[in-house]
């Protein structure tokens, strides 16, 4: 036997209220009196009723679904961001669909077009970029986009970032102040604005301290590639190898530290000072004790959600570009090379 589907009218009859009251009770952002809410909840629980979200979206034109694209989750920073974004959006009455992409632009394009098929109300791109053509298509479809921890030249795209340039500068000045003179840099993915801005600020800080970059390699934000970069940079004799290195994010910095200690038998910070960027949880572990830049994740998430929901609700203001300051967190990985 096939049981008949329970409807909002059934709930309304059992609760002794109007169907519109039931509809309001189950619609995020609306409300009914406490007494009415108690009646509706009791009736819905007794009948096993749940609202048809898809049917409601056809009526309202809003799915209350946000598409979240994340380029990679190996970095501890992004699982934390996904959780915080999801929780805050859920608190605002939205559901989150998470799509895993890669750093390659064509994969982001493919996934973003797939997201549009779900009739999402908005999109957050975390650690990913999209073409201006696809951004225009989303805009024409009435689907706002906010970039998280990324910047693009397209001025129609809102973005929320840390002050990556300022953070890079702080790290350079810190290393110079600790007496390091052969300071290297291991870059992330060259196509990322975070990589570009952190390196730019780092070079500016070195220049301000009267130094130049001693050596450079690329880790592409990947653990294994960062290991390989460390092997290349530190294979030289002591006088020719770096005595400090800024690794573009903590995830890669851990890889570099593992190679220095366990393959090359170098001490940190005695032989080499290491600094990173993000302040993910392992950076605080005694095994790494990493000096880094702490990003204001809660503030970044709050600004991202506020910007996105404002656009969904009809705000036609120009795109917002929010840049939040980070904080230098000094730990044991960058103690002075000698008394200063």
């Amino acid at each position: 036997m096939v049981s008949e589907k329970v409807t909002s009218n059934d709930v309304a009859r059992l609760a002794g209220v109007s169907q519109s009251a039931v509809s309001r009770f189950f619609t995020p952002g609306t409300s009914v009196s406490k007494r009415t809410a108690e009646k509706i909840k009791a009736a819905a629980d007794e009948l096993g009723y749940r609202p048809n979200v898809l049917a409601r979206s056809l009526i309202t034109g809003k799915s209350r679904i946000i598409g979240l694209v994340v380029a990679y989750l190996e970095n501890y920073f992004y699982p934390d961001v996904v959780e915080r974004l999801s929780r805050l959006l859920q608190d605002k009455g939205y559901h989150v669909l998470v799509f895993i992409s890669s750093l390659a632009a064509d994969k982001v394009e493919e996934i973003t077009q797939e997201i549009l098929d779900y009739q999402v109300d908005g999109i957050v791109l975390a650690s990913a970029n999209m073409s201006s053509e696809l951004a225009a298509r989303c805009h024409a479809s009435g689907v706002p986009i906010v970039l998280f921890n990324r910047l693009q030249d397209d001025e129609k795209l809102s973005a929320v970032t840390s002050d990556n340039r300022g953070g890079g500068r702080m790290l350079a000045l810190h290393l110079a102040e600790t007496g390091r003179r052969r300071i290297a840099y291991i870059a992330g993915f060259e196509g990322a604005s975070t990589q570009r801005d952190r390196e730019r600020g780092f070079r500016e800080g070195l220049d301000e301290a009267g130094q130049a970059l001693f050596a450079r390699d690329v880790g592409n934000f990947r653990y294994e590639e960062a290991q390989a970069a460390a092997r290349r940079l530190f294979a030289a004799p002591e006088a020719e190898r770096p005595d400090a290195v800024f690794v573009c994010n903590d995830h890669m910095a851990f890889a570099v530290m593992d190679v220095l200690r366990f393959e090359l038998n170098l001490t940190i910070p005695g032989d080499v000072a290491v600094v990173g960027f993000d302040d993910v949880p392992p950076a605080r572990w005694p095994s790494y004790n990493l000096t880094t830049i702490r990003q204001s994740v809660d503030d970044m998430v709050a600004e991202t959600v506020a910007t996105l929901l404002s656009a969904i609700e009809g705000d036609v203001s120009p795109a917002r570009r929010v840049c939040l300051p980070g904080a230098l967190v000094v730990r044991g990985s960058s103690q002075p090379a000698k008394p200063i």
Side-chain angles (χ1 to χ4, degrees):
M1 294 180 63
V2 179
S3 59
E4 292 186 8
K5 190 170 184 179
V6 179
T7 68
S8 59
N9 287 319
D10 298 326
V11 176
R13 279 194 293 271
L14 182 59
V17 300
S18 67
Q19 189 276 334
S20 61
V22 175
S23 178
R24 288 197 304 276
F25 175 78
F26 284 105
T27 301
T30 61
S31 62
V32 295
S33 70
K34 182 178 179 181
R35 180 172 173 77
T36 298
E38 290 172 350
K39 288 181 178 181
I40 294 171
K41 185 178 185 307
D45 289 345
E46 181 178 336
L47 295 171
Y49 171 77
R50 291 298 301 165
N52 188 328
V53 175
L54 294 177
R56 182 193 297 151
S57 70
L58 292 175
I59 297 170
T60 63
K62 298 291 183 182
S63 66
R64 301 199 74 82
I65 295 174
I66 303 299
L68 172 57
V69 182
V70 185
Y72 65 114
L73 291 175
E74 302 99 300
N75 182 355
Y76 281 86
F77 182 71
Y78 286 105
D80 184 36
V81 165
V82 169
E83 180 180 354
R84 297 193 200 199
L85 274 170
S86 298
R87 284 183 176 178
L88 186 52
L89 285 165
Q90 287 168 3
D91 289 344
K92 301 292 185 181
Y94 286 83
H95 305 282
V96 178
L97 283 179
V98 179
F99 294 79
I100 307 301
S101 178
S102 70
L103 293 172
D106 58 336
K107 291 297 182 183
V108 176
E109 303 272 308
E110 180 181 320
I111 286 174
T112 305
Q113 292 185 74
E114 181 182 343
I115 290 174
L116 293 176
D117 294 339
Y118 284 86
Q119 303 298 310
V120 297
D121 290 345
I123 296 173
V124 176
L125 292 179
S127 69
N129 296 329
M130 65 164 32
S131 71
S132 296
E133 179 183 346
L134 184 55
R137 199 177 312 151
C138 292
H139 182 73
S141 301
V143 178
I145 300 164
V146 179
L147 304 178
F148 182 94
N149 206 32
R150 282 290 186 274
L151 276 176
Q152 288 187 216
D153 293 334
D154 189 342
E155 296 181 356
K156 294 180 181 178
L157 289 173
S158 292
V160 177
T161 67
S162 282
D163 184 0
N164 292 292
R165 183 176 173 185
R169 175 182 173 276
M170 283 192 284
L171 289 170
L173 293 175
H174 167 68
L175 289 175
E177 288 168 0
T178 63
R180 309 291 170 164
R181 294 295 176 263
R182 301 187 304 276
I183 302 175
Y185 177 69
I186 295 181
F189 174 60
E190 300 277 21
S193 65
T194 48
Q195 144 57 33
R196 177 194 67 212
D197 293 342
R198 290 172 191 179
E199 180 171 2
R200 180 179 179 186
F202 190 62
R203 287 177 180 271
E204 290 172 346
L206 289 176
D207 184 64
E208 189 175 333
Q211 296 200 42
L213 191 65
F214 179 76
R216 182 186 191 275
D217 213 303
V218 180
N220 278 318
F221 292 139
R222 301 297 186 189
Y223 188 92
E224 293 78 8
E225 293 187 47
Q227 286 182 310
R231 294 182 188 111
R232 290 189 293 267
L233 279 178
F234 293 93
E238 180 178 356
E240 300 173 19
R241 69 179 180 232
D243 62 4
V245 58
F246 168 31
V247 192
C248 190
N249 70 8
D250 291 353
H251 176 63
M252 292 195 301
F254 303 144
V256 171
M257 295 174 82
D258 289 344
V259 167
L260 294 177
R261 286 171 170 161
F262 303 120
E263 294 185 22
L264 303 179
N265 297 315
L266 298 175
T267 62
I268 300 170
D271 294 318
V272 185
V274 181
V275 298
F277 204 113
D278 285 339
D279 196 29
V280 299
R284 304 159 212 165
W285 297 352
S287 54
Y288 290 114
N289 199 21
L290 178 66
T291 293
T292 186
I293 296 294
R294 177 177 296 156
Q295 300 206 66
S296 304
V297 181
D298 281 335
D299 292 337
M300 292 173 70
V301 166
E303 289 286 356
T304 299
V305 171
T307 299
L308 186 66
L309 297 191
S310 177
I312 290 173
E313 291 162 8
D315 184 2
V316 293
S317 302
R320 296 182 68 215
R321 295 294 179 102
V322 180
C323 181
L324 297 168
L328 174 64
V329 181
V330 178
R331 297 194 179 99
S333 69
S334 65
Q335 295 304 308
K338 56 186 177 182
I340 300 175

